[in-house]
Amino acid sequence: MSLLASFDIGASGLTAQAMRLNVTASNIANVESMSGPDGRPYRARQVEFSSIVKEGGPGAGVAVTKVIESNTPLRREYRPGHPKADSFGYVDMPNVNPVEEMVNMISASRSYQMNVEAMNVSRQLMLKTLDLGK
Amino acid sequence: MNAVPKYDPLAFGEQALKLRTYRQQVLANNLANSDTPGFKARDINFADVLKSEMAGVTRSSGLKLASTNSAHLAGKVSIDDPKLLYRVPNQPAMDGNTVDGDIELSELTKNSVFTESTLTMLGGTIRSRMSAITGQPS
């Protein structure tokens, strides 16, 4: 039944967008994390979306295929007194761009809302279909 | 003015509902992929597809193909390939995505209103047939 399938599609969208929100939250939380488990500064992460396609069907939603680390150069800050400062007095800071993260967050939240809306409509139609002929 | 073709309202309602829910799925998929790079928004031409589906249904006399020989294969009436088309983008994104949330949402809402009207008409047909069968006013 197609309406049930559109529920699954909506759910896949919700999962993917929630993961994107998670990654954004992680980036924002680590905006000052200058050393992770490997001793290196935190690098901003992004999710990669790809659509799920089934043979002969209209498409079956979206999935996060991988989480990629940003390649943009690390932020350099002049802190001569810092224990991790190099010989010039600079320390490497995470390459998280707060503006980008906020934009990403709003975009993810809008997309999440749209998927919820689509699922609400499907739900309404299913309830109407149950009343058919009454 | 085109002549209105005469279809069995039950078969017509069934096909229309199938297509409406299918389109619901297509639109939900567009919305789910509103941030997928390179994804192209899809849609169906509802009137065209329904017309061809109904032509298929009437040609096969309702449910199955007429067979004059025992070796004939049974045909099946289904909506396997309702001809998915690509939406013409208004302002495609840099990553090649052509999903416009506003358009998809409004199409989704329109589709749901039309689905409800189809359900109402189908319900009316069923009710009037029930009252004809039982002899009781519904």
Side-chain angles (χ1 to χ4, degrees), chain A residues 2-111:
Chain A
S2 295
L3 274 179
L4 280 174
S6 47
F7 259 101
D8 294 341
I9 292 171
S12 79
L14 293 187
T15 312
Q17 298 297 343
M19 190 152 181
R20 186 170 164 211
L21 270 178
N22 270 345
V23 169
T24 308
S26 159
N27 288 347
I28 293 175
N30 284 296
V31 74
E32 301 286 338
S33 304
M34 57 178 67
S35 76
D38 55 352
R40 308 270 314 132
Y42 179 87
R43 280 185 175 275
R45 286 163 172 76
Q46 296 289 338
V47 287
E48 191 183 282
F49 286 170
S50 65
S51 54
I52 309 169
V53 181
K54 281 192 184 142
E55 205 58 38
V62 64
V64 174
T65 39
K66 59 181 168 193
V67 179
I68 40 181
E69 286 194 354
S70 164
N71 280 329
T72 54
L74 294 166
R75 198 169 80 237
R76 307 264 292 158
E77 269 185 26
Y78 185 62
R79 292 194 191 173
H82 199 276
K84 293 191 78 130
D86 60 13
S87 52
F88 301 102
Y90 280 93
V91 282
D92 282 337
M93 298 292 285
N95 57 355
V96 176
N97 183 346
V99 177
E100 240 170 59
E101 299 306 330
M102 296 308 279
V103 169
N104 237 331
M105 188 182 77
I106 293 168
S107 168
S109 118
R110 288 281 174 272
S111 303

Side-chain angles (χ1 to χ4, degrees), chain B residues 33-40 89 91-100:
Chain B
N33 283 293
S34 62
D35 293 314
T36 308
F39 181 84
K40 309 292 179 214
Q91 32 184 10
M94 290 278 280
D95 59 5
N97 188 300
T98 62
V99 179
D100 186 334

